[in-house]
Amino acid sequence: MLYDGGFLTRLEDGVRGALSRWDIAPTTELKLLTISENATFRASNTGTGGDLVFRVHRPEYHTRREIESELAWIDALRAEGGILTPRPIPLRDGALIADIDDAGTTRHVVAFEFLPGKEPDAGDDLVGWFEKLGAIHAGLHAQARAWTRPEGFTRKVWNFQSMLGDTPLWGDWRAGLGLTAEGRATLEKTAQLLERELADIGTDGDSFGLVHADLRLANLLVDGDKLALIDFDDCGFSWFLYDFAAAISFIEHEPYVPALMNAWIAGYRTRLPLTDAQAAHLPVFIMLRRMLLTAWIASHAETPTAQAMGIPYTDGTIALAEAFLSARA
């Protein structure tokens, strides 16, 4: 229960105390935007020519080197064009990361320009946006394959072990909210099957590399016909096709998901080849992501997203797992 009310007040005070390092007045209005892995605040009327978003990192998750690596990728994507994502805003001294003290704990803070737009929802033309997203994902993957990463580039690896195995980054799926013994047996069998199928897919350069890993609807901004990407905080090394599974986070059960998948594949193929055999692996990554999010909800129970999902999400995971196992029986 990291993000209780008192904690968020301390974070806001810490960000306000650091504003002068960006040449922003400490009286600037700050408003909490989101609480997820991190806490983000919007600073309005900053005097910098636009609003800014301040991201306060969750403690003991990313190292400074990992954050620097994320920002280096964002800078490279922006420099090469074709990807719309907020610009990291340097401090007065040129650095991109500020440290604030939170009751003896050092917290890393990064500022980004604020981009207009809204999260797409089920009332939007999601099929059309997913075709565009498929092309964007392919562009990200093409750049990641060709890009010479700076020395010391460090990001987490999202593989079976770090998702559902012995070293889970987001907690143990076995702690899923409301998980019964019967449900646990179903998910255990599913995890074992996922491990085998992922081993068969492999991690060669054609299938595994640097990905965003979290381009769910909440991390997309629709502004007219523009689609911007935000929150590269979970970018790391994983299967390229995992990016689609991340895109349908929390809507994996919806009946329109197959249409979104077909649109995404069509968009992807406008930029990179994707064989039918490769596309057939997408359900594996959807199941993998769903179990990962079940673990995340349990380990981040104080966040609004986790509270909104709760036990019904675990129940839905079991239902999807039963269908997944039945399809492979």
Side-chain angles (χ1 to χ4, degrees):
M1 302 300 290
L2 179 63
Y3 292 122
D4 59 28
F7 187 79
L8 290 170
T9 298
R10 294 202 313 272
L11 289 190
E12 181 177 341
D13 290 343
V15 172
R16 188 174 300 283
L19 288 177
S20 62
R21 298 173 66 181
W22 281 272
D23 282 329
I24 298 173
T27 54
T28 294
E29 179 186 354
L30 285 178
K31 178 182 179 181
L32 180 68
L33 282 180
T34 60
I35 310 165
S36 184
E37 200 63 52
N38 309 304
T40 58
F41 296 86
R42 179 177 178 177
S44 302
N45 302 313
T46 62
T48 63
D51 292 358
L52 300 181
V53 173
F54 288 87
R55 185 177 69 191
V56 186
H57 283 259
R58 194 179 188 95
E60 299 180 357
Y61 184 53
H62 285 314
T63 65
R64 175 178 286 270
R65 177 61 63 83
E66 287 174 328
I67 299 169
E68 290 170 343
S69 298
E70 172 206 352
L71 300 178
W73 192 28
I74 291 173
D75 281 343
L77 289 168
R78 286 178 51 84
E80 294 181 23
I83 300 295
L84 181 59
T85 191
R87 176 172 64 94
I89 305 299
L91 287 76
R92 187 174 54 230
D93 63 5
L96 289 173
I97 304 172
D99 291 339
I100 61 174
D101 178 73
D102 173 38
T105 298
T106 297
R107 305 294 297 274
H108 301 308
V109 182
V110 178
F112 296 91
E113 65 176 331
F114 177 84
L115 291 184
K118 70 177 186 70
E119 171 187 341
D121 58 42
D124 295 327
D125 177 18
L126 284 184
V127 170
W129 287 118
F130 265 71
E131 184 169 356
K132 180 169 288 199
L133 182 59
I136 289 172
H137 271 137
L140 288 174
H141 300 164
Q143 189 276 349
R145 288 170 174 166
W147 183 43
T148 301
R149 297 187 291 272
E151 184 177 355
F153 187 94
T154 304
R155 292 299 298 177
K156 288 179 169 53
V157 177
W158 296 99
N159 57 21
F160 179 84
Q161 290 304 321
S162 64
M163 291 178 171
L164 306 184
D166 297 332
T167 55
L169 292 170
W170 281 355
D172 191 344
W173 62 263
R174 297 168 186 84
L177 301 181
L179 188 60
T180 64
E182 182 180 4
R184 175 172 173 162
T186 297
L187 295 187
E188 187 72 62
K189 186 176 181 181
T190 303
Q192 292 171 359
L193 178 57
L194 288 172
E195 185 173 18
R196 293 195 299 271
E197 295 209 12
L198 290 168
D200 289 340
I201 293 170
T203 56
D204 61 41
D206 290 333
S207 61
F208 198 97
L210 184 59
V211 299
H212 183 286
D214 197 29
L215 272 184
R216 54 197 174 96
L217 297 183
N219 288 332
L220 299 173
L221 289 177
V222 171
D223 182 27
D225 62 352
K226 297 177 182 177
L227 187 63
L229 322 180
I230 62 174
D231 195 3
F232 280 68
D233 182 58
D234 290 312
C235 72
F237 298 95
S238 192
W239 292 275
F240 292 120
L241 293 183
Y242 176 69
D243 263 342
F244 171 77
I248 60 167
S249 295
F250 306 117
I251 59 171
E252 306 93 343
H253 60 287
E254 295 288 356
Y256 52 77
V257 164
L260 300 185
M261 183 188 301
N262 290 335
W264 186 89
I265 291 170
Y268 198 94
R269 284 172 171 166
T270 65
R271 301 287 301 275
L272 284 178
L274 182 66
T275 68
D276 288 345
Q278 289 170 321
H281 295 312
L282 284 169
V284 174
F285 296 105
I286 294 172
M287 195 69 242
L288 175 68
R289 174 72 171 186
R290 178 78 186 212
M291 287 188 65
L292 177 66
L293 290 177
T294 303
W296 185 90
I297 287 170
S299 60
H300 295 68
E302 79 280 10
T303 65
T305 299
Q307 291 171 7
M309 297 293 110
I311 292 175
Y313 193 78
T314 302
D315 294 340
T317 302
I318 295 167
L320 287 175
E322 290 171 344
F324 180 77
L325 292 171
S326 177
R328 281 156 172 74

